[in-house]
Amino acid sequence: MASSALQDDSDDGMDEFIDKFRTHKYKNAFNESNWEEEFEKVPMFMKTAPEEIDPKTHPELACLQSMIHDDDRTPEEQAMSLKNEGNEYFKEKNYKNAILSYTAGLKKNCGDQELNTVLLTNRAAAHFYLGNMRSALNDATAAKKIRPDHLKALVRGAQCCLELRNFAEAIQWCDAGLKAHPTDKKLQELRAAADKQKRAAERDARKAKAQKKKTRTEKEALLAAIKERGIKLMQHNKVRQHSSDSEDEDGGSARGLAELSLDGLSSQEATGAQVFLDPQGSLHWPVLFLYPEHQQSDFISAFCENSCFIDHLAVMFGEELPPWDTDRKYLPQNLQLFFEDEEKDTLYQVDPETSLLKVLQHNRCFVKAGSPSFIVLVNGSSFRTQFLTGKKVQRLS
Amino acid sequence: MLSDTEAVELLSFLKADVRPDVKGQAVEYILGLSSHRDGCQFLRSNPNFLVALVDLTSDPTADIVKNCYHALINLSADETLHQLLVTKANVLPVLFKNLLDPEYPFSDRICTILTNLSRHEKTCTTVFKVLQEDVGLAQLVEIFCTEGYNKKASLHYLGPLLSNLTQLPEARNYILDKDRCVIQRLLPYTQYQASTVRRGGVIGTLRNCCFDYVHHEWLLSDAVDILPFLLLPLAGPEELTDEENEGLPVDLQYLPEDKKREEDPDIRKMLLETLLLLTATKAGRQTLKQKNVYPVMREFHRWEKEPHVVLACEKLVQVLIGDEPEKGMENLMEVNIPEDVQEKLIGADAKEQQELEKEQEERRQKEGKNQVPEGMER
């Protein structure tokens, strides 16, 4: 009897039972059209958990949940479940929720210190992956306080310090860790990395300092050269609140130059050009030529102090006259140059054959906004007569 | 010296239960003996005194303990007493036990005694053995590297102790253990300004460790990166060209104007010797050449005044700028030549090289001169 049953390959009556369903639906069957939806609702077959668990739509899930978080259980058990919940979220890379679970677990304040250490360490990891380095470090520190030898906390703490670029502290964490776990590879790696980066950062600081010093020396040399020649820089009434150049150590020289560079930018023709000292020791100035007749101006970014005005004028008004010179009268030989002494309300006429240096050294010549400017008029023009009426004019001796 | 009866009486005063003032005076007398040769000889013949002395280190009176340690320092300076101290008097366990105590006021004296005892190989081996049993080298390094471990003692003499211990391969193997982080913790001390003793001890340790060339590649790699720590004390404030700067290890770039070199000439010599050891292998030589050690040595050579240090520098420079040795001799340590002969050979090589170059230069000049007359003759 038994053998024949085996040969039959099925139980008696089973075939008939199954055959019945070809025509009849079984009770509580899934609907053909929405069986997948229905499937999703069965806790065992769910692919993802719903954000909110509504007891009406997911009665089984709600039931399970209340079992897990049943307040009748001990704090340790609750904390343990919360830890597990957090770990599940962590695996799904849902770090925000993982943190919530771990936090809830810690709030239970259960007496199991081992568990609390793990909760803190895991939360630190979740924060770490979210990029919350400070929070992660705080958690690792708290874990270390409870269990000073806890390897995961020590590694995490070192990693956080490294990310925060606090290299000295990172090394301290590693050394503390290596005391308890002398052969741990991860700690050794972290220590080597922290040490290397620390030394690179120190080098960068030294480099920046050397650079700053070089810049400062150059600035001081420039100011000294200007002073040496007896050239006067006009101080501005308005003092800037913030100056990117002035620092504690620099003091006066920086302020002087700061005004030079900052005020140079405030002029209309500003290109950010500044007076500089060339390798041969000559100064080159940014110079403005003003043409009040036509409300025009020209800007020479680097006028060497040894050059004469006529050198530049010959080029500027040499081949082609500027378009604004409608009368075609601004020929180099007709031009007259003046600088203004605002204080004495006097115009000083400059011989174009003199060098810039000689003019700047005149005792009534003041360099305003770091850029010497000169008024250009045409000899014999009506504008010139008009312009100079009522003004005091002197020739440079 | 004392007669036999006097000796017996004196010994009886060196017991714990004796009146403090009598005990104190007896210890002072022993201290006196320990400070000269005859006294030491006497104590060598009467080792029971040594035993008593070690016992009295646990005396409640601080002055007595202090004098005991002073006496032990003196005694440990005498090599002939070493075996007696570590065997009959069994001083080591007492020393190590107290060394571990962060509150012990006499730890510095203990370190001095241990350094003395570990100077020569035979007793050093015993010291190391007991160290491993009672404390462990790991603990010793830990204590050494923990700032302020003992508020009452600087523990600087642990440096020379480590240096002495590393004359033993067992100690070196521990410090050079790739699976641990031991030597890395010692490296920063090559610039420890506060103590020449500590600094010298660490550098001595590093030098000893470099005798084993199998570790050179690891030592020069990023895992340890020993090179900058050896070079930094020898580097000065002189400015190098941009190109030279770029090739240097990070720690030596953009050194400030007030950079000072190592003050102690013996330590400078040790550093140079260590660097020379690292040139034993081809890979080591390449690394040192690549990392621009030569420009640093060039400036150092200009600055150094002490002749014996200059010589050590020149030996190193010789290897850095010299040609690679022939096949089969690439590892300078594996070539079986006794050291003094080797030195002579290197010196002879250098001289030969110089003379060779001189000859070549003269020949070149002669050819240059002959060129014109020959042409004219034709």
Side-chain angles (χ1 to χ4, degrees):
Chain A
M1 247 331 251
S3 50
S4 67
L6 279 168
Q7 277 168 12
D8 256 334
D9 213 19
S10 65
D11 293 338
D12 283 320
M14 192 54 171
D15 279 341
E16 287 151 11
F17 180 71
I18 300 262
D19 280 343
K20 202 167 65 170
F21 292 114
R22 286 192 214 280
T23 46
H24 298 297
K25 273 235 151 30
Y26 58 88
K27 255 206 289 200
N28 296 331
F30 283 143
N31 195 314
E32 265 165 11
S33 52
N34 71 343
W35 69 269
E36 278 156 349
E37 259 179 65
E38 299 282 301
F39 238 59
E40 271 289 303
K41 288 201 190 145
V42 178
M44 190 172 226
F45 298 117
M46 276 184 191
K47 293 216 187 76
T48 48
E51 282 294 316
E52 289 288 321
I53 298 176
D54 180 4
K56 292 204 191 74
T57 45
H58 298 99
E60 299 91 351
L61 258 189
C63 190
L64 282 170
Q65 200 177 40
S66 76
M67 279 203 294
I68 292 170
H69 300 295
D70 187 354
D71 284 335
D72 281 347
R73 296 176 310 145
T74 66
E76 283 79 12
E77 286 172 336
Q78 292 179 57
M80 182 65 79
S81 318
L82 285 163
K83 181 200 88 169
N84 291 332
E85 185 184 85
N87 289 354
E88 286 302 313
Y89 279 129
F90 196 100
K91 274 186 210 145
E92 291 169 14
K93 296 205 200 315
N94 189 341
Y95 301 120
K96 278 211 171 77
N97 279 359
I99 289 170
L100 291 173
S101 304
Y102 295 137
T103 308
L106 285 163
K107 280 215 173 79
K108 297 291 172 193
N109 267 321
C110 76
D112 184 350
Q113 289 299 60
E114 194 63 48
L115 180 56
N116 286 332
T117 309
V118 172
L119 282 165
L120 283 164
T121 310
N122 290 2
R123 194 172 69 177
H127 274 303
F128 186 81
Y129 286 112
L130 282 177
N132 303 337
M133 292 306 154
R134 291 236 159 259
S135 309
L137 184 57
N138 287 341
D139 280 344
T141 310
K144 179 167 171 255
K145 215 165 170 184
I146 303 175
R147 286 260 182 282
D149 291 349
H150 193 74
L151 183 58
K152 280 194 175 155
L154 293 162
V155 171
R156 189 63 62 195
Q159 281 174 327
C160 290
C161 289
L162 199 52
E163 289 295 313
L164 290 166
R165 294 185 70 78
N166 194 339
F167 303 122
E169 221 185 297
I171 294 174
Q172 275 178 358
W173 275 85
C174 291
D175 282 340
L178 286 164
K179 215 168 149 179
H181 309 271
T183 52
D184 187 78
K185 284 278 160 265
K186 188 75 192 158
L187 284 172
Q188 286 171 19
E189 260 171 43
L190 284 168
R191 192 187 192 279
D195 192 54
K196 191 169 181 184
Q197 290 186 51
K198 171 164 156 268
R199 284 148 52 198
E202 283 166 1
R203 186 272 315 264
D204 291 339
R206 289 197 300 269
K207 189 172 179 181
K209 200 167 171 196
Q211 201 57 37
K212 213 172 77 177
K213 181 142 195 278
K214 189 167 167 224
T215 315
R216 198 176 67 207
T217 316
E218 282 171 2
K219 276 190 183 170
E220 279 169 3
L222 184 57
L223 271 178
I226 293 174
K227 195 168 169 198
E228 200 175 75
R229 287 154 170 72
I231 298 172
K232 298 162 289 300
L233 300 170
M234 190 129 100
Q235 299 295 328
H236 244 235
N237 294 329
K238 280 180 274 185
V239 179
R240 287 273 220 177
Q241 293 298 69
H242 297 290
S243 165
S244 56
D245 287 75
S246 49
E247 271 121 357
D248 305 328
E249 324 107 76
D250 286 340
S253 64
R255 243 179 286 122
L257 254 170
E259 287 176 10
L260 262 188
S261 56
L262 289 171
D263 293 349
L265 290 172
S266 67
S267 68
Q268 280 174 324
E269 281 69 34
T271 60
Q274 201 193 73
V275 56
F276 67 88
L277 198 59
D278 73 15
Q280 286 75 45
S282 300
L283 286 173
H284 294 247
W285 294 87
V287 171
L288 268 172
F289 285 108
L290 304 167
Y291 313 105
E293 181 174 0
H294 294 280
Q295 306 277 300
Q296 292 288 335
S297 62
D298 271 324
F299 181 73
I300 316 258
S301 58
F303 192 140
C304 178
E305 62 183 357
N306 298 321
S307 305
C308 304
F309 291 88
I310 192 68
D311 298 334
H312 286 275
L313 292 175
V315 172
M316 287 149 68
F317 298 95
E319 299 233 341
E320 267 181 43
L321 292 177
W324 46 259
D325 180 16
T326 42
D327 299 330
R328 293 275 159 273
K329 62 178 190 276
Y330 276 74
L331 300 161
Q333 60 267 32
N334 297 343
L335 300 175
Q336 286 185 336
L337 296 157
F338 303 83
F339 69 81
E340 193 171 353
D341 179 352
E342 282 181 6
E343 204 186 299
K344 291 207 172 148
D345 206 16
T346 311
L347 287 170
Y348 286 86
Q349 186 169 1
V350 172
D351 178 359
E353 309 268 336
T354 26
S355 67
L356 175 63
L357 175 58
K358 189 108 195 294
V359 174
L360 291 178
Q361 283 176 319
H362 190 271
N363 67 333
R364 293 312 303 174
C365 180
F366 295 88
V367 176
K368 190 173 164 184
S371 186
S373 55
F374 299 92
I375 294 168
V376 181
L377 300 169
V378 177
N379 189 12
S381 68
S382 54
F383 178 79
R384 179 185 173 283
T385 320
Q386 200 184 330
F387 187 82
L388 293 178
T389 311
K391 289 200 169 65
K392 286 178 273 183
V393 183
Q394 273 194 50
R395 281 199 97 91
L396 278 192
S397 48
Chain B
M1 261 303 115
L2 296 168
S3 70
D4 284 342
T5 33
E6 284 170 332
V8 170
E9 204 188 357
L10 184 60
L11 191 57
S12 70
F13 294 152
L14 293 167
K15 297 275 180 280
D17 48 3
V18 168
R19 253 172 55 194
D21 54 342
V22 176
K23 215 180 354 177
Q25 282 193 359
V27 171
E28 273 177 31
Y29 187 81
I30 301 294
L31 174 57
L33 286 179
S34 71
S35 60
H36 59 88
R37 211 148 119 242
D38 289 339
C40 286
Q41 204 161 343
F42 169 78
L43 292 168
R44 197 181 316 128
S45 325
N46 296 276
N48 286 326
F49 282 97
L50 302 176
V51 179
L53 209 56
V54 174
D55 283 340
L56 282 176
T57 55
S58 40
D59 196 273
T61 316
D63 272 346
I64 289 180
V65 178
K66 197 170 82 172
N67 285 334
C68 284
Y69 277 116
H70 276 159
L72 285 168
I73 291 176
N74 291 343
L75 295 167
S76 61
D78 183 337
E79 200 198 337
T80 60
L81 287 167
H82 281 186
Q83 277 305 302
L84 282 171
L85 282 167
V86 302
T87 51
K88 179 115 184 163
N90 200 24
V91 69
L92 291 173
V94 171
L95 294 178
F96 284 129
K97 173 167 148 275
N98 291 324
L99 184 62
L100 283 178
D101 180 2
E103 313 261 313
Y104 201 67
F106 303 104
S107 290
D108 274 337
R109 292 170 187 82
I110 289 180
C111 293
T112 310
I113 298 168
L114 288 169
T115 304
N116 285 349
L117 290 172
S118 56
R119 188 153 290 143
H120 302 284
E121 199 187 329
K122 184 161 178 223
T123 322
C124 184
T125 314
T126 316
V127 172
F128 187 66
K129 181 164 151 288
V130 180
L131 169 68
Q132 291 297 71
E133 282 165 15
D134 291 5
V135 180
L137 191 48
Q139 265 270 56
L140 200 70
V141 174
E142 181 67 41
I143 291 172
F144 183 60
C145 295
T146 305
E147 188 79 33
Y149 179 84
N150 185 323
K151 301 281 180 289
K152 301 178 189 154
S154 68
L155 303 180
H156 292 323
Y157 268 91
L158 286 180
L161 172 59
L162 274 173
S163 178
N164 286 350
L165 289 172
T166 49
Q167 67 182 293
L168 306 170
E170 315 87 274
R172 287 201 294 276
N173 284 337
Y174 180 77
I175 296 202
L176 293 166
D177 190 346
K178 285 196 180 76
D179 294 331
R180 288 165 186 273
C181 185
V182 187
I183 194 171
Q184 292 91 330
R185 301 195 62 190
L186 297 173
L187 293 175
Y189 289 101
T190 61
Q191 294 141 79
Y192 190 78
Q193 293 305 319
S195 162
T196 308
V197 167
R198 186 179 275 254
R199 211 165 62 239
V202 167
I203 291 170
T205 307
L206 296 177
R207 186 191 55 178
N208 289 350
C209 286
C210 286
F211 270 110
D212 302 327
Y213 68 82
V214 290
H215 300 283
H216 284 185
E217 202 178 327
W218 177 68
L219 286 170
L220 290 167
S221 77
D222 276 353
V224 180
D225 204 14
I226 195 176
L227 186 60
F229 295 94
L230 296 171
L231 276 180
L232 207 46
L234 299 171
E238 298 90 6
E239 274 193 45
L240 299 175
T241 69
D242 281 342
E243 205 187 314
E244 286 169 344
N245 236 316
E246 286 301 304
L248 285 173
V250 159
D251 309 68
L252 282 103
Q253 292 178 7
Y254 302 102
L255 291 176
E257 292 181 333
D258 53 1
K259 171 76 177 60
K260 297 239 174 352
R261 289 186 165 90
E262 166 61 58
E263 297 173 336
D264 187 309
D266 291 326
I267 295 184
R268 292 200 295 271
K269 183 154 177 252
M270 272 202 284
L271 288 164
L272 291 164
E273 287 167 350
T274 314
L275 287 166
L276 188 61
L277 285 168
L278 289 169
T279 59
T281 63
K282 190 179 172 79
R285 284 194 290 279
Q286 275 181 343
T287 305
L288 263 66
K289 285 181 192 177
Q290 266 168 18
K291 298 259 170 111
N292 278 6
V293 174
Y294 171 68
V296 180
M297 286 301 118
R298 185 190 64 214
E299 297 306 315
F300 178 82
H301 189 267
R302 273 194 207 142
W303 171 90
E304 179 61 68
K305 304 278 176 288
E306 294 283 332
H308 67 292
V309 185
V310 170
L311 191 59
C313 176
E314 285 172 356
K315 280 192 201 171
L316 177 59
V317 168
Q318 189 63 30
V319 178
L320 291 173
I321 60 176
D323 286 331
E324 274 295 304
E326 335 167 334
K327 240 181 153 36
M329 289 181 53
E330 279 131 359
N331 188 325
L332 298 176
M333 278 179 169
E334 277 184 347
V335 178
N336 274 329
I337 302 176
E339 212 180 87
D340 55 313
V341 177
Q342 187 181 340
E343 279 182 35
K344 282 202 192 116
L345 279 177
I346 291 175
D349 268 337
K351 221 176 168 187
E352 201 183 359
Q353 180 77 353
Q354 281 175 12
E355 283 175 20
L356 198 67
E357 280 173 13
K358 210 165 128 201
E359 276 178 59
Q360 281 180 345
E361 183 56 46
E362 282 174 18
R363 206 181 311 132
R364 252 178 267 132
Q365 284 184 6
K366 225 195 264 173
E367 278 174 13
K369 280 205 200 111
N370 289 343
Q371 211 82 25
V372 177
E374 271 177 23
M376 277 173 74
E377 274 176 351
R378 231 179 270 121

